[in-house]
Amino acid sequence: MSEAKLSKVEYVKIASNRLRGPVDAELHDGSDHFSEEGYQILKFHGIYQQDDRDVRKARRAQGLGPDYSFMIRVAIPGGVLTPEQYLTLDRLADELGNATLRLTTRQAIQYHGVRKGGLKPLVQVLNRNLLTTLSACGDVVRNIVACPAPFADRQRAELYRYAKELSERLKPKTRAYYEIWLDGERAASLEENEPLYGDTYLPRKFKIGFAFPGDNCVDVYTQDIGIVPVVGEGGLEGFTLLVGGGLGQSHGAKETHPVLAKPLATVGPEQLFEVVEAIVKVQRDHGRRDDRKYSRMKYLVEAWGLERFKAEVERYVGYALPEARALAWLSGDDHLGWHEQGDGRLFFGLFVENGRVKENLRAAIREVVQRFAPEVRLTAQQNLLFVGLDPSNQAAVEAILRNHGVALPGTLPLVVQNAMACPALPTCGLAITESERVMPQVIRELDAVLKRLELHDGPIPHVRMTGCPNGCARPYSAEVGLVGRSLNSYTVYLGGSPLGTRLGQLYLDNVGREEIARRLEPVLEAYKRERLEGEAFGDYCHRVGVETLRERFGNLASA
């Protein structure tokens, strides 16, 4: 592709000298923010520049500029943290952040409200604790997710080992991160290169996820590359690879749309890394760089077709790839509550509403980690697992949570436990409307409808909300997806699979926030009357047809 067709961001990447400038100069320029060019490169270092949109208008009226702060994302492959690492992350929330931690849908942790002067100290403490923000954002392979449940008979440790090693292999090799944040020596530019990424890195962000067979808690079909182990009686036999998933779209670009990944091949364990690297290189060399709305790998797979894409990957690795083995799924739910690990110990899945760890919840988690030193694992559904607990401590863990007023799994409505929302306002620059701040009310209004219809004990729909169409909380693969359309208004999607294997379809557009539960009630009433035995809400909507449901109920709202 000629340089004339490159988007502006591509030129910024080229000019950055492998992710150095202008961040290296602007970090110490005395201002409270970075330039637009600096902001674009800052993302590769795991940092987003934001401002408080709640006060924009008032500050403007006072002749003031934006109230800048920064979101820092810590990349945690597979979401696995030692007790010491978690306690360090918790402490930093008070010292340099806004006293909260945000668990993300990619098993990372985000700090919000960090000021410019706190960026370097925070990164340095993270580094001393073997944690990094490098490539947690930007046009690179981002934090690699993996099913975190530590069942001994599932060889989870091996799954995590592959995820961690792959993460290390796919990190950018530039020394810029170490020079800027960790006071490392500047590398001689002629001696440094990016063998995987090149000077312009990838056309857009790139996501990889490992699922365990039958357990789709990570939404493996929404990844650029989904990886599913093949486990036989003798252990690990290989990996089935899925390609071309991605959920982001733009309201103003009709050709943008969410896509689920398609099966590419099943490869041997010894082939995994080189085949994954080859897929990344195909996207690097052929993904669109002229229009970032169409730069994700899903559009390349669609434009070429799976057969041509596979042939290109085979050309990069130098051998033919076998056909993909069939996959079957039993569950897409998170691993909440108590579970036996299979090694005599227990793990406990704790619900974290919308991933926000704050106040009494934060204090409770800290006390559990301080007293019992469990490994902490983050889930791709924004929850948290305490791993390796002695069964004798089960009652004490529950007592700590109760003493802090934290609801235990099973005591909350299931529709609340199954829900997710993105941060959105006031800090996300892409947000069109609210998500995290209104979801608690919306989901409880929907729970009231379910209780009124006596549906709260059966299969409960998974509901996900985002403040814009980028889909960070994966609303398009949910049974009920709520996507920000305009201020206080949402597009409603229905019919996704509870197993994460089917996208929902547009049901209603421009539904006011206060109308969401009422507009869903007629469909839920029909579901109660017409469902098959054991049929999930999303499966019912798909079977009947979302268009049919719109014709029947689209103009109705219960009084």
Side-chain angles (χ1 to χ4, degrees):
M1 185 174 293
S2 67
E3 282 194 10
K5 293 183 178 179
L6 294 178
S7 69
K8 179 182 176 181
V9 174
E10 295 299 313
Y11 290 106
V12 173
K13 288 188 283 186
I14 292 170
S16 73
N17 187 18
R18 297 193 180 93
L19 309 184
R20 291 179 174 84
V23 173
D24 49 1
E26 293 180 358
L27 181 62
H28 306 289
D29 66 3
S31 74
D32 62 353
H33 66 286
F34 292 81
S35 67
E36 177 59 28
E37 292 77 15
Y39 169 46
Q40 292 298 332
I41 299 305
L42 201 62
K43 295 177 186 178
F44 290 81
H45 298 263
I47 301 168
Y48 275 81
Q49 180 167 282
Q50 301 178 329
D51 72 283
D52 188 342
R53 294 172 63 181
D54 284 346
V55 301
R56 269 186 191 174
K57 188 174 181 180
R59 288 178 66 87
R60 196 175 295 130
Q62 299 171 40
L64 300 174
D67 180 19
Y68 286 109
S69 66
F70 296 83
M71 181 271 279
I72 298 185
R73 184 178 295 153
V74 186
I76 306 166
V80 177
L81 293 165
T82 66
E84 295 77 18
Q85 286 175 325
Y86 181 83
L87 292 174
T88 297
L89 291 168
D90 177 81
R91 175 173 55 82
L92 288 171
D94 284 330
E95 293 179 357
L96 296 168
N98 67 352
T100 75
L101 296 170
R102 186 55 154 75
L103 313 186
T104 80
T105 56
R106 297 207 63 74
Q107 296 177 303
I109 277 182
Q110 291 180 179
Y111 292 97
H112 291 264
V114 180
R115 300 298 177 176
K116 189 177 180 183
L119 294 177
K120 189 168 182 176
L122 195 152
V123 171
Q124 290 183 334
V125 173
L126 293 175
N127 183 71
R128 288 197 293 271
N129 286 271
L130 306 181
L131 295 166
T132 185
T133 66
L134 177 62
S135 73
C137 321
D139 299 341
V140 288
V141 174
R142 299 198 178 179
N143 194 50
I144 294 179
V145 300
C147 179
F151 296 112
D153 63 346
R154 293 188 177 188
Q155 303 180 34
R156 299 284 183 174
E158 191 165 18
L159 187 66
Y160 170 66
R161 179 175 64 82
Y162 275 94
K164 186 171 176 60
E165 186 172 342
L166 183 59
S167 177
E168 290 301 316
R169 290 174 68 106
L170 300 179
K171 288 281 188 189
K173 304 308 179 198
T174 176
R175 295 287 302 171
Y177 184 83
Y178 306 96
E179 294 167 11
I180 294 171
W181 307 106
L182 306 174
D183 298 322
E185 245 181 82
R186 186 176 180 85
S189 59
L190 294 177
E191 298 174 359
E192 182 192 60
N193 59 44
E194 286 280 15
L196 176 62
Y197 291 118
D199 289 341
T200 52
Y201 296 84
L202 297 181
R204 281 299 299 272
K205 60 187 175 183
F206 199 99
K207 299 180 178 181
I208 297 177
F210 284 78
F212 195 80
D215 182 350
N216 194 20
C217 67
V218 299
D219 267 342
V220 72
Y221 290 93
T222 66
Q223 315 288 329
D224 289 271
I225 302 176
I227 305 174
V228 186
V230 178
V231 181
E233 292 184 5
L236 182 66
E237 297 177 355
F239 295 92
T240 296
L241 303 181
L242 310 164
V243 295
L247 298 186
Q249 62 178 336
S250 301
H251 284 318
K254 292 183 178 180
E255 294 181 6
T256 63
H257 51 273
V259 180
L260 293 185
K262 303 168 183 64
L264 180 76
T266 296
V267 302
E270 72 287 351
Q271 297 173 306
L272 177 67
F273 295 147
E274 65 179 353
V275 174
V276 167
E277 287 183 357
I279 295 170
V280 174
K281 290 175 182 177
V282 170
Q283 165 65 354
R284 176 197 67 192
D285 296 342
H286 300 283
R288 287 184 61 171
R289 293 183 182 267
D290 61 326
D291 189 336
R292 289 177 67 81
K293 290 186 177 68
Y294 303 96
S295 292
R296 289 291 299 276
M297 193 177 76
K298 64 182 179 180
Y299 296 116
L300 178 63
V301 175
E302 278 196 333
W304 279 6
L306 193 62
E307 186 176 343
R308 178 182 170 187
F309 186 88
K310 183 176 182 180
E312 190 70 3
V313 174
E314 290 173 335
R315 189 174 73 83
Y316 277 62
V317 296
Y319 52 82
L321 298 176
E323 292 298 311
R325 297 195 191 183
L327 299 174
W329 302 99
L330 303 174
S331 173
D333 287 339
D334 230 2
H335 302 273
L336 300 180
W338 290 101
H339 302 269
E340 294 183 1
Q341 294 182 190
D343 59 0
R345 298 179 296 171
L346 304 175
F347 76 90
F348 180 73
L350 179 65
F351 171 67
V352 179
E353 187 157 14
N354 300 320
R356 184 69 65 176
V357 181
K358 61 182 180 180
E359 300 167 349
N360 60 323
L361 175 61
R362 190 173 148 229
I365 294 171
R366 184 192 315 122
E367 186 174 344
V368 170
V369 176
Q370 287 173 334
R371 282 188 58 183
F372 304 111
E375 186 178 73
V376 175
R377 298 192 181 187
L378 314 178
T379 82
Q381 297 182 40
Q382 302 174 323
N383 296 311
L384 178 150
L385 309 182
F386 296 124
V387 172
L389 291 166
D390 190 284
S392 64
N393 294 324
Q394 182 172 350
V397 169
E398 291 189 357
I400 290 172
L401 297 172
R402 288 196 189 94
N403 289 342
H404 285 278
V406 176
L408 301 178
T411 66
L412 286 163
L414 286 176
V415 72
V416 175
Q417 289 187 178
N418 289 341
M420 293 200 295
C422 72
L425 297 175
T427 52
C428 178
L430 299 175
I432 299 169
T433 190
E434 298 280 2
S435 183
E436 179 184 335
R437 294 196 295 193
V438 301
M439 184 58 148
Q441 182 178 349
V442 171
I443 202 66
R444 284 164 178 80
E445 290 171 357
L446 188 56
D447 179 56
V449 171
L450 292 169
K451 288 177 178 174
R452 187 159 62 246
L453 296 175
E454 298 182 337
L455 285 171
H456 56 289
D457 290 329
I460 298 296
H462 294 70
V463 184
R464 298 173 184 170
M465 173 184 280
T466 57
C468 83
N470 284 287
C472 291
R474 304 192 293 271
Y476 305 112
S477 60
E479 294 177 272
V480 179
L482 306 172
V483 178
R485 186 70 171 86
S486 60
L487 185 62
N488 201 40
S489 181
Y490 300 82
T491 302
V492 179
Y493 292 81
L494 297 179
S497 167
L499 297 176
T501 56
R502 182 181 61 244
L503 293 174
Q505 298 178 46
L506 193 153
Y507 174 59
L508 295 175
D509 201 11
N510 275 320
V511 176
R513 188 217 59 76
E514 67 282 354
E515 295 294 320
I516 291 171
R518 290 200 294 167
R519 300 301 294 273
L520 288 173
E521 185 166 353
V523 186
L524 289 163
E525 285 184 305
Y527 165 63
K528 179 180 179 179
R529 294 191 307 269
E530 302 167 6
R531 60 183 169 170
L532 304 177
E533 184 176 355
E535 187 175 35
F537 179 66
D539 292 338
Y540 163 79
C541 293
H542 177 71
R543 175 174 61 83
V544 173
V546 174
E547 185 175 344
T548 299
L549 294 173
R550 189 187 311 115
E551 292 171 356
R552 291 171 62 185
F553 308 116
N555 294 319
L556 300 178
S558 297

